[in-house]
């Protein structure tokens, strides 16, 4: 018989907290791993409105949850609500993973940057962080995690471009390292000599306008990646492919960022493979 497993009194519990949360692919992703590994566990959507976030987080130990992931709009506010957070999460200014400790306190971490780098390692193993400058479009939550990850990985220069220039300037000033804010209008010329181009804006996402950008100045060997994964091949990635550049889609980041939480809650380090990608993509209709 297929379908949802029976839960027992020993079922390990985790979930994804967001508002709204119905769009999240994480229950499908963790559900696939739970079945694959035969774990008596459940990963559930937890719809928590912003004004009840702290209350919802504090209820996790009382309800027997081992932790949760956080999604829009909770990642920043949750950092302030947990008992401790990793230095990495503090630099990023947001958490996406909470673990309930044996003494019922809450520990926060941010695994988005880990997911991003693991996805590049999977999708383009020849890309090397130290090889040259990265151009990063956007200055929102995803941009913060990706920029910190790139700096920690040894990228020698990050060029940050955002429609609202103050946000890029603020992010560049906050992060200790070779990050420079470049005007949005200069996004085509900023590609000169880059070895990596990352879109972290929501442009190109289904229902949003496409990212319009000439790749003429971008070296053909540069890796192009998008954090948007609906559609899987965004207009930017389609243009990059046609230009001859290697591309990595945004789904791998979503899948890999989930690994540390799953390991902490359910005790298994799960793998990201084609079967998982297919299971998650089936939910997006892609
Ligand atoms: N693959 C993954 O695992 C993963 C993880 C996290 C996020 N994401 C995706 O990443 C995207 C961004 O998420 P986020 O959390 O960083 O959102 P966010 O904090 O709201 O930031 C949105 C970014 O998009 C820019 N933007 C929005 N509309 C624009 C437009 N019309 N023209 C130019 N720039 C525009 C914003 O620029 P302004 O500052 O000028 O508004 C800002 O830089 C979303 O599509 C999200 O689904 C994917």
């Amino acid at each position: 018989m297929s379908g949802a497993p029976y839960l027992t009194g020993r079922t390990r519990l985790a979930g994804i907290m967001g508002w709204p949360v119905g769009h999240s692919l994480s229950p499908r992703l963790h559900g696939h791993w739970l079945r694959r590994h035969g774990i008596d566990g459940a990963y559930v959507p937890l719809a928590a409105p912003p004004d009840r976030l702290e209350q919802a987080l504090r209820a996790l130990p009382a309800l027997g949850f081992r932790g949760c992931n956080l999604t829009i709009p909770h990642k920043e506010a949750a950092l302030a609500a947990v008992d401790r957070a990793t230095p990495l999460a503090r630099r990023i200014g947001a958490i996406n993973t909470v673990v309930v400790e044996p003494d019922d306190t809450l520990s926060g971490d941010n695994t988005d940057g880990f997911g991003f780098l693991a996805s590049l390692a999977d999708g383009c193993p020849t890309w090397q962080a130290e090889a040259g400058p990265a151009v990063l479009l956007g200055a929102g939550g995803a941009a913060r995690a990706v920029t910190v990850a790139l700096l920690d990985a040894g990228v020698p220069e990050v060029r940050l471009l955002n429609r609202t220039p103050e946000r890029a300037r603020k992010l560049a000033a906050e992060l200790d390292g070779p990050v420079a804010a470049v005007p949005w209008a200069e996004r085509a010329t900023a590609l000169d000599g880059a070895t990596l181009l990352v879109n972290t804006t929501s442009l190109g996402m289904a229902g949003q306008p496409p990212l319009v950008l000439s790749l003429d100045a971008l070296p053909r060997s540069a890796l192009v990646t998008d954090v948007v994964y609906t559609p899987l091949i965004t207009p930017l990635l389609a243009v990059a492919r046609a230009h001859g550049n290697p591309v990595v889609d945004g789904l791998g980041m979503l899948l890999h960022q989930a690994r540390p939480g799953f390991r902490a809650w359910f005790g298994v380090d799960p793998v990201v493979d084609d079967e998982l990608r297919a299971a998650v993509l089936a939910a997006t209709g892609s």
Side-chain angles (χ1 to χ4, degrees):
M1 194 175 78
S2 64
Y6 292 107
L7 305 183
T8 73
R10 286 183 303 279
T11 301
R12 299 178 180 199
L13 297 171
I16 172 95
M17 208 176 273
W19 185 258
V21 77
H23 67 283
S24 175
L25 295 173
S26 293
R28 179 124 191 164
L29 156 56
H30 286 268
H32 178 86
W33 280 333
L34 287 169
R35 282 185 194 197
R36 158 98 63 99
H37 293 286
I39 294 170
D40 182 9
Y43 182 100
V44 297
L46 298 165
D51 63 344
R52 303 190 78 178
L53 172 66
E54 183 155 5
Q55 212 181 346
L57 284 170
R58 289 292 160 198
L60 290 172
L63 293 170
F65 273 70
R66 295 184 171 226
C68 71
N69 284 125
L70 294 144
T71 187
I72 289 171
H74 295 325
K75 289 185 181 184
E76 289 83 10
L79 173 65
V82 292
D83 297 300
R84 71 193 66 76
T86 58
L88 174 70
R90 295 204 175 281
R91 274 165 71 217
I92 295 169
I95 59 172
N96 70 343
T97 306
V98 169
V99 172
V100 176
E101 302 292 350
D103 65 357
D104 283 357
T105 57
L106 304 177
S107 296
D109 197 3
N110 193 311
T111 66
D112 279 336
F114 163 80
F116 175 77
L117 291 176
S119 174
L120 293 197
D122 249 12
C124 187
T126 53
W127 177 77
Q128 290 190 328
E130 318 80 44
V135 173
L136 197 142
L137 306 174
R144 296 185 74 90
V146 170
T147 307
V148 169
L150 290 176
L151 291 174
D152 288 355
V155 168
E157 177 192 348
V158 180
R159 303 170 188 159
L160 263 189
L161 300 94
N162 194 50
R163 174 182 61 176
T164 309
E166 304 83 57
R167 280 184 99 186
R169 281 201 290 269
K170 183 168 175 289
L171 180 53
E174 263 177 56
L175 297 176
D176 193 20
V179 188
V182 177
W184 181 246
E186 293 171 22
R187 57 195 182 281
T189 50
L191 301 177
D192 192 24
T195 54
L196 176 69
L197 166 62
V198 191
N199 175 46
T200 73
T201 74
S202 47
L203 290 172
M205 197 174 159
Q208 299 289 319
L211 170 62
V212 178
L213 177 63
S214 162
L215 300 185
D216 289 350
L218 186 71
R220 290 266 158 80
S221 56
L223 173 60
V224 180
T225 187
D226 207 319
V227 301
V228 171
Y229 52 82
T230 47
L232 204 51
I233 297 301
T234 60
L236 170 68
L237 294 186
V239 169
R241 259 189 189 165
H243 192 250
N245 292 84
V247 304
V248 172
D249 66 57
L251 185 62
M253 176 178 173
L254 176 79
L255 305 183
H256 282 283
Q257 63 75 33
R259 283 170 45 206
F262 191 90
R263 189 172 52 232
W265 308 317
F266 302 117
V268 171
D269 191 3
V271 289
V272 169
D273 58 11
D274 288 344
E275 199 185 312
L276 177 70
R277 282 177 70 90
V280 174
L281 278 177
T284 70
S286 298

